[in-house]
Amino acid sequence: MKTTTENIPTGRLQTMAPDRQAFFLLRTVFTVAPILFGLDKFTNILTDWTSYLAPVATSVVPVTPQTFMYIVGVVEIIAGIMVAVRPRFGSVLVAVWLLGIIINLLVLGAYYDVALRDFGLLVAALALNRLSPAGSWRRHR
């Protein structure tokens, strides 16, 4: 009895080293998610974002809560684009931004579960930073 083995073509992602796979996955998520969340600050389809805002934030930046969220949305979109273009810098920007969100939630005294989740995301953003090569990632395939 003769057995045959099928040559199944593997995708580009499966042929990468595990650290490059992790880099690619983290970079993709930290590009797409901030952009989508940033855009949602203008539509409030996912949630009423102003409910997550500590009142002290609008006393520091004297604007309405929704205007504050518009500013947040722009920063999040920029952060997502920076992760796509310059992942080493963008990942630090996202980590610092997440730290600000965590502090805001702790000051608000609510949504501790979201603050804990965002801490996990902060650690993942720092992991993306460690996986990001200096210079262009394309040189290190």
Side-chain angles (χ1 to χ4, degrees):
M1 174 182 226
K2 186 176 179 183
T3 60
T4 61
T5 58
E6 226 180 296
N7 285 338
I8 301 171
T10 58
R12 196 165 148 194
L13 184 61
Q14 289 93 359
T15 61
M16 287 183 195
D19 61 331
R20 301 314 303 155
Q21 290 179 23
F23 168 79
F24 178 77
L25 293 170
L26 289 168
R27 189 177 117 215
T28 301
V29 168
F30 282 114
T31 295
V32 174
I35 292 172
L36 290 179
F37 287 131
L39 290 172
D40 195 60
K41 299 300 188 288
F42 295 91
T43 63
N44 290 314
I45 292 172
L46 296 174
T47 190
D48 174 17
W49 292 103
T50 60
S51 65
Y52 292 94
L53 185 61
V56 70
T58 54
S59 68
V60 172
V61 180
V63 295
T64 66
Q66 188 56 56
T67 301
F68 193 95
M69 283 298 133
Y70 292 151
I71 296 166
V72 166
V74 169
V75 171
E76 288 175 341
I77 292 167
I78 291 169
I81 292 168
M82 287 307 302
V83 169
V85 176
R86 298 275 187 240
R88 191 167 206 153
F89 171 75
S91 59
V92 173
L93 178 61
V94 168
V96 170
W97 189 249
L98 286 163
L99 180 61
I101 293 170
I102 292 166
I103 291 169
N104 170 75
L105 294 173
L106 295 175
V107 168
L108 182 61
Y111 305 110
Y112 296 119
D113 56 333
V114 177
L116 181 60
R117 180 211 57 202
D118 285 352
F119 177 75
L121 290 171
L122 183 152
V123 172
L126 293 175
L128 173 59
N129 178 265
R130 296 295 300 143
L131 290 169
S132 298
S136 175
W137 71 275
R138 294 180 191 274
R139 288 190 300 220
H140 299 280
R141 284 190 190 184

